[in-house]
Amino acid sequence: MTASVQQARQALGARLREIRKDANLTARALAAAGGWHFTKVSKIENGARTPAETDIGTWCRLCQAEDHVTDLVAAARNVESMYTEWRRQMRAGMRRSQAVRLPV
């Protein structure tokens, strides 16, 4: 995965962490209230996993921050489209992009 995809995923996770902390919830309390495994919150906040749109809606509802849902969903969609583009490039092979960088 490219660094930009990982950075975008981590930035989204950091925003969600701030929302959770502003609501004075622990990660375990949020996971329990959302019906999730306790590690799901950590993986999302640390950028190891991109949250689904339903997860973002639930997260914001439980943290009483529904006004953030639209922006966060847009950010998650951006992360997923970046990841999809990276996967498409990897599937097509990196020969062309590597040839451009190699001296002739």
Side-chain angles (χ1 to χ4, degrees), residues 6-84:
Q6 187 61 30
Q7 288 171 346
R9 195 182 272 177
Q10 288 171 340
L12 176 58
R15 288 175 64 192
L16 288 167
R17 180 183 299 115
E18 290 172 12
I19 289 170
R20 176 183 59 78
K21 286 186 174 187
D22 288 346
N24 291 318
L25 287 172
T26 65
R28 282 186 180 260
L30 179 64
W36 302 323
H37 191 270
F38 69 94
T39 61
K40 182 174 186 171
V41 173
S42 176
K43 288 178 182 179
I44 290 172
E45 288 183 351
N46 290 304
R49 177 179 180 174
T50 304
E53 292 180 24
T54 56
D55 294 337
I56 292 171
T58 301
W59 192 297
C60 290
R61 182 178 48 78
L62 294 173
C63 294
Q64 298 174 357
E66 287 90 354
D67 54 323
H68 294 283
V69 171
T70 304
D71 291 337
L72 292 169
V73 166
R77 286 179 179 171
N78 184 45
V79 169
E80 282 304 307
S81 90
M82 290 169 63
Y83 180 72
T84 301

